Amino acid sequence: MNRSYRKHRSTASILLIITAIAVAVLIAAAAFIYFAGIRYIRYNYEDGYVKYFGRVDENGDPLSGTLVYESGVRAKVNLEKTEISYSNGDLYEGPLKNLRRHGFGRLIYKNGDVYEGEFTEDKISGTGKYSYVNGDVYEGQFKNGLMDGTGSYTWQNGSIYTGGFREGKKDGEGTFVWYYGDRYEGNYRMDQKSGYGVYTWNNGDTYAGEYAEDARSGQGTYTWANGEKYEGSFKNNVMWGEGKYTWPSGRVYTGYFENGVIVRVVGDDAAGQ
C-alpha cells in the first residue's frame, strides 16, 4: 500500500516538474519573441482580414515578416528595403498603415504593368501614373483602383485623351486627339460621346452639335471641307429629319432628310437659288 502511494506521488511530482519546465520554456520563448521585436498583428476589414507575423520597429509597425490575406494571398515584408513581395508575383515599394498600402508607393504587377502614386486603404486612390506593359500610359486621378476624376490617357499609337473619367471610363468634358489627325472636343458619358461636342476630321470636315451613344444624333451642323454645309437634325451619324443643305454656290435646300437623303422638300427656297 505504501509502495503504491509513493509511486503515485513520484509520478505526480514528475508530471508537475515537466509542466513547470514547459511553462518556463513557453514564458522564456514568449519573452524572447517579445524582446526580439516579433509580433502577431491582425486587422479585420469589411473586405476581409489581414494578419502579420514578424519583426516590428519601435513604433510597432511591420519591419520584416509575413502578411496573410483572407483571400489566400501571402506577402513577404521587408520594409528595411521598403519592399513587399506578394505570392501572386506582384511587388510593392512603399509604406503600410494598419497592414494596408497607404501613402505614396510603387506597385509592379507580375504582367509588367507599373503604378506609381497614391494609395488609400490598400487601393490605388488619389493621383498617380499607371504604365501598361503594352505602352499605354494614364496619368491623373484614381478612385478604388479605377481612373476617376481628371486625367490624361496616352495610347501606344500616339492617340491622347485628356479630360474627365468615371469608374475607369471617359466621362465628362474631354478632348480626344487621334494619332491620324481627327479631333473631338466635348462631352462623354461612360466612354461614349454624349451631349454637345465638336468633331474635326483630318480632311477638314467638321461637325458641331449633339451626340447620343457615340453617334451624331440630335441637332447639329456638318461642314464639309469643300464648303458644303448641312444644318439640322441627325440620327445615327446621318442627316435625318428637318434640315437645310447649302452649297458653296449659294444654292439652298430646306426640307426633310432620311438616312442622309432628301425625301421631301419644304418651302419656296427648296428649288435653290
Side-chain angles (χ1 to χ4, degrees):
M1 182 71 176
N2 291 336
R3 184 179 301 173
S4 175
Y5 176 72
R6 286 196 298 271
K7 182 177 181 181
H8 178 74
R9 287 189 59 188
S10 176
T11 302
S13 299
I14 292 172
L15 290 175
L16 184 61
I17 292 171
I18 292 173
T19 301
I21 292 173
V23 170
V25 169
L26 288 174
I27 293 173
F32 173 78
I33 290 172
Y34 181 84
F35 289 110
I38 298 173
R39 299 288 188 278
Y40 170 79
I41 306 171
R42 174 174 174 147
Y43 285 95
N44 294 313
Y45 297 104
E46 290 184 0
D47 56 352
Y49 65 74
V50 185
K51 298 187 293 185
Y52 172 78
F53 182 76
R55 292 174 55 223
V56 297
D57 62 17
E58 61 275 11
N59 298 316
D61 295 322
L63 195 59
S64 62
T66 301
L67 283 170
V68 179
Y69 297 84
E70 188 168 346
S71 64
V73 174
R74 302 172 69 89
K76 292 294 183 183
V77 178
N78 187 348
L79 289 184
E80 291 176 316
K81 294 184 178 180
T82 64
E83 287 184 356
I84 299 177
S85 303
Y86 295 90
S87 57
N88 62 6
D90 297 346
L91 176 67
Y92 170 70
E93 300 171 350
L96 294 176
K97 181 179 179 181
N98 297 334
L99 303 185
R100 286 182 157 187
R101 295 179 298 233
H102 196 88
F104 187 89
R106 187 167 181 253
L107 182 59
I108 304 170
Y109 293 87
K110 181 181 179 180
N111 69 353
D113 291 354
V114 178
Y115 170 76
E116 188 168 7
E118 295 176 320
F119 290 82
T120 302
E121 296 182 350
D122 221 42
K123 294 185 174 103
I124 292 174
S125 286
T127 302
K129 177 180 179 181
Y130 195 110
S131 302
Y132 297 84
V133 70
N134 67 356
D136 293 357
V137 176
Y138 171 78
E139 295 185 70
Q141 296 175 314
F142 291 84
K143 183 179 179 181
N144 294 327
L146 297 173
M147 299 176 290
D148 200 297
T150 302
S152 179
Y153 194 108
T154 303
W155 282 261
Q156 57 85 23
N157 63 11
S159 297
I160 301 174
Y161 169 78
T162 302
F165 289 85
R166 184 164 70 92
E167 297 179 356
K169 297 181 179 182
K170 299 185 293 292
D171 198 275
E173 292 294 321
T175 300
F176 199 125
V177 180
W178 283 264
Y179 72 94
Y180 46 80
D182 286 6
R183 179 187 184 92
Y184 172 78
E185 296 181 62
N187 196 65
Y188 281 90
R189 179 170 175 78
M190 299 308 287
D191 246 5
Q192 295 184 325
K193 294 185 286 291
S194 180
Y196 183 83
V198 177
Y199 196 108
T200 304
W201 283 262
N202 61 7
N203 66 356
D205 292 356
T206 62
Y207 169 79
E210 296 175 319
Y211 282 86
E213 298 181 350
D214 218 36
R216 297 187 296 278
S217 291
Q219 296 298 306
T221 299
Y222 193 111
T223 305
W224 283 264
N226 63 5
E228 296 177 14
K229 179 188 291 187
Y230 170 79
E231 301 170 81
S233 182
F234 287 83
K235 179 182 176 182
N236 295 329
N237 285 329
V238 295
M239 299 175 291
W240 200 304
E242 298 291 339
K244 182 173 74 171
Y245 199 105
T246 305
W247 281 264
S249 64
R251 183 184 178 189
V252 177
Y253 272 102
T254 301
Y256 189 83
F257 294 75
E258 190 171 291
N259 202 26
V261 178
I262 297 173
V263 295
R264 178 163 54 87
V265 175
V266 179
D268 293 336
D269 65 340
Q273 301 296 326

